[in-house]
Amino acid sequence: MTANGHLTRRGFMGASVALTALLASGASVLAQDGTNLTIAYNIPVQSWDPTTGPAAVNPVLQSIYLAVFDRYIAQAPDLSFGPGLLTDWGFSADQSKITMTVRDGVKWHNGAALTPEDIVWSLERAANPETGNPMQFVWSKIGNFTVESNVITADVLDFEPALFKWMAFLTAFVLPKAYYEELGAEGFEKAPIGTGPYMVDAFEQGAYVRLKAFPDYWGDAPAFETVTIKFVTDAASRVAEVESGNSDVTVNIPYEEYDRLIAKDGLSGVAVPITDIGMIFLNDTGPMLDKNVRLAAHHAIDKQLIIDRLLRGYGVPLSTLEAPGYAAYDESIVVTYDPERSKELLAASGYSTDNPVKFTIQTTRGLKPKDYEMVQAIVGMWRKVGIEAEIEVYEIAKHYELRATDQLAPAAFYNWGNSIGDPSTATGFSMFGPSPHAVWDTEDLVNRIAPLFVERDEAARIQGYKDVSRYIAEEGYVIPLLQYVMPVVFSNTVSVTPYTSGDLLPQAITPAT
């Protein structure tokens, strides 16, 4: 899984779906020419409010949001934390209060100055259950804000050990109070502004967004004046985009195409392990209420074979929702590939290859490399032990809708992102029944996880999550599959900085030197 880079010749000149849409819209389709950059991206922007609704918790969309908006706290490519719109932050000694210092000299895209009131309003809005912030139950743990100059103080209403990590994670974006209140939600969608390095210049739903560099950005100026991000959901079309030269960069393509493309003159690439986990949610309904079925489904999957055959070795097999590098990763927790054990477990519940247990498994197709093909392979492995699963393909937006309303099928493939590496944002929120991001709701698991959300002793908190991970593996409440390696292919005229979070930031792409 080392990063490779090779130069090449560009191949055929086919037009992709996104290119056709761009031509029809009249938008510029020039690839990088010194001032312009074009990216073929694998998912479209659904909403320009990065703090509300299902889109706000989609890890894949964070790259685009981070080009336009800033978070309270920033994160480096190696996941380390640093100043963002806050330059200093922390708990009081008794953990009853927090203090935050707001950066001076920051401007919104409309020229207005960022103020501490924008920070307070954004946090209070995020904490209000009526606004639809999926992480409301995190932000509501602080309140009673006071402002003195550029220093904000607040009370800790309910201790959240990962609070400041959350300020560099999902929904942790600052929005402009006066501008938003003047335009309202609908108006903001049509004309979003942030404090980020790029401004939204043009947007065609489902087709593309064109970004322009913000000349008054408080940080380092981005290298490209214009960035066009084409929404190309089909992996083959993304390959065509970068191979033809119509796009300078693309991401999340099949690994065999990655290996082929980086061997060509004119193209390079990087493939690095990221904080995304491929997993199968199990819903506590129907056959999944049977522990034997759950464990049989897990033991029947040869994860290493899937990685080797479908992902060309680009991946790390997992048995928990904590990946290497996460604070609560425990390598001793292993659910082995053991199809004979699967058959025994199924037989104990009256199932066999002649009388298989039946259920539906849902999956995306093309969102992640070989996602559908992996599910096909898993269904084939299940068939050999006495599990007959029907595949249902849906768009990622549908997954979020079904998960939020607890209507997922008994099994549903998903990629879980956790760029802060904290167990509360991996095992915690994905497996805690009351969370809108979980579908397993049994009381035994709720009672084990709930105390960890407020545990003040950090060592005890981490050990607690390791213990919960072991319990989940023993009960078969979820099926972790692998840690992803993200393939990025790009023209050798540009240089790309990969982020362990999986973010592909336009501002982290520069002309090659």
Side-chain angles (χ1 to χ4, degrees):
M1 293 182 299
T2 58
N4 295 303
H6 300 282
L7 305 181
T8 94
R9 235 175 1 265
R10 288 194 171 101
F12 65 94
M13 298 292 290
S16 72
V17 173
L19 179 60
T20 302
L22 280 170
L23 288 169
S25 71
S28 170
V29 295
L30 288 176
Q32 190 270 132
D33 63 1
T35 60
N36 300 299
L37 176 74
T38 303
I39 300 171
Y41 207 62
N42 61 321
I43 187 171
V45 171
Q46 302 290 339
S47 166
W48 281 109
D49 183 341
T51 69
T52 62
V57 291
N58 186 337
V60 186
L61 282 175
Q62 304 305 301
S63 298
I64 300 176
Y65 288 151
L66 283 165
V68 177
F69 307 97
D70 283 313
R71 288 177 174 151
Y72 304 97
I73 294 172
Q75 200 172 23
D78 65 355
L79 304 186
S80 60
F81 302 103
L85 294 182
L86 302 180
T87 58
D88 194 28
W89 57 87
F91 287 103
S92 61
D94 64 357
Q95 298 176 327
S96 66
K97 292 184 179 295
I98 64 167
T99 302
M100 302 173 288
T101 302
V102 181
R103 182 182 294 277
D104 287 324
V106 177
K107 290 185 177 181
W108 295 102
H109 292 160
N110 65 350
L114 170 82
T115 68
E117 285 72 23
D118 290 313
I119 301 288
V120 171
W121 178 81
S122 294
L123 287 168
E124 289 182 331
R125 178 173 175 267
N128 184 347
E130 295 180 3
T131 63
N133 187 304
M135 298 291 104
Q136 179 270 338
F137 52 92
V138 171
W139 306 120
S140 62
K141 294 183 178 181
I142 53 176
N144 303 322
F145 294 89
T146 60
V147 177
E148 186 174 342
S149 184
N150 66 335
V151 176
I152 300 169
T153 304
D155 291 336
V156 173
L157 307 177
D158 189 3
F159 181 68
E160 168 55 66
L163 175 66
F164 292 114
K165 291 181 181 180
W166 270 105
M167 289 192 178
F169 197 34
L170 303 175
T171 77
F173 292 98
V174 180
L175 299 186
K177 178 180 186 292
Y179 182 86
Y180 190 97
E181 289 182 337
E182 178 185 350
L183 270 66
E186 271 191 46
F188 189 82
E189 277 292 334
K190 295 175 182 177
I193 65 169
T195 57
Y198 283 101
M199 304 177 289
V200 176
D201 183 56
F203 174 62
E204 183 70 31
Q205 186 79 46
Y208 74 97
V209 60
R210 186 172 64 228
L211 306 174
K212 290 286 188 181
F214 179 41
D216 293 325
Y217 180 55
W218 59 267
D220 294 335
F224 295 102
E225 175 64 25
T226 302
V227 175
T228 300
I229 301 175
K230 304 177 184 180
F231 305 139
V232 188
T233 57
D234 178 65
S237 296
R238 291 197 299 277
V239 170
E241 280 285 322
V242 74
E243 189 167 21
S244 67
N246 287 321
S247 290
D248 304 296
V249 184
T250 197
V251 67
N252 281 322
I253 61 174
Y255 294 103
E256 65 270 19
E257 292 284 27
Y258 171 79
D259 286 341
R260 180 181 69 82
L261 290 172
I262 64 173
K264 295 171 67 68
D265 292 336
L267 294 176
S268 299
V270 291
V272 295
I274 59 173
T275 56
D276 276 11
I277 290 174
M279 47 95 77
I280 298 175
F281 273 112
L282 300 182
N283 202 349
D284 54 331
T285 183
M288 292 309 167
L289 293 173
D290 186 334
K291 178 179 177 179
N292 288 334
V293 171
R294 300 193 302 267
L295 288 175
H298 200 165
H299 283 296
I301 301 173
D302 189 339
K303 301 169 188 176
Q304 190 62 57
L305 182 64
I306 289 172
I307 292 169
D308 291 342
R309 294 281 180 85
L310 291 177
L311 307 183
R312 299 175 70 90
Y314 293 102
V316 180
L318 294 176
S319 292
T320 73
L321 296 178
E322 307 295 325
Y326 286 16
Y329 175 65
D330 186 344
E331 63 180 4
S332 72
I333 304 172
V334 178
V335 178
T336 59
Y337 168 58
D338 190 346
E340 293 307 313
R341 177 61 178 153
S342 295
K343 292 177 183 177
E344 293 171 2
L345 288 164
L346 290 170
S349 292
Y351 299 113
S352 67
T353 52
D354 293 327
N355 180 37
V357 58
K358 298 179 180 181
F359 54 82
T360 297
I361 179 169
Q362 295 163 319
T363 181
T364 51
R365 187 171 192 169
L367 176 68
K368 299 292 284 186
K370 298 294 184 181
D371 47 5
Y372 177 74
E373 290 81 0
M374 280 195 284
V375 171
Q376 279 186 311
I378 288 167
V379 168
M381 294 173 183
W382 282 346
R383 190 177 299 116
K384 294 178 181 178
V385 299
I387 298 172
E388 186 176 312
E390 180 181 355
I391 300 175
E392 176 188 327
V393 177
Y394 56 10
E395 295 297 322
I396 190 62
K398 187 66 175 179
H399 169 91
Y400 289 121
E401 176 188 327
L402 294 174
R403 195 174 80 195
T405 55
D406 199 5
Q407 296 182 60
L408 285 179
F413 179 85
Y414 180 67
N415 67 287
W416 185 273
N418 179 24
S419 65
I420 58 175
D422 193 84
S424 67
T425 50
T427 301
F429 286 112
S430 64
M431 299 304 299
F432 182 61
S435 161
H437 316 295
V439 291
W440 193 270
D441 301 314
T442 54
E443 189 174 344
D444 59 333
L445 197 52
V446 170
N447 291 340
R448 281 172 167 80
I449 295 176
L452 299 176
F453 283 125
V454 294
E455 175 58 62
R456 293 174 183 269
D457 184 311
E458 184 66 3
R461 186 174 78 94
I462 298 302
Q463 184 58 52
Y465 273 110
K466 289 183 178 181
D467 294 341
V468 165
S469 291
R470 188 174 299 279
Y471 178 75
I472 290 171
E474 291 171 348
E475 292 295 319
Y477 286 155
V478 70
I479 303 179
L481 296 172
L482 58 98
Q483 179 186 18
Y484 277 107
V485 171
M486 184 176 74
V488 184
V489 176
F490 47 90
S491 163
N492 65 1
T493 60
V494 302
S495 177
V496 175
T497 300
Y499 275 62
T500 305
S501 61
D503 291 329
L504 179 67
L505 303 184
Q507 59 267 40
I509 301 174
T510 59
T513 55

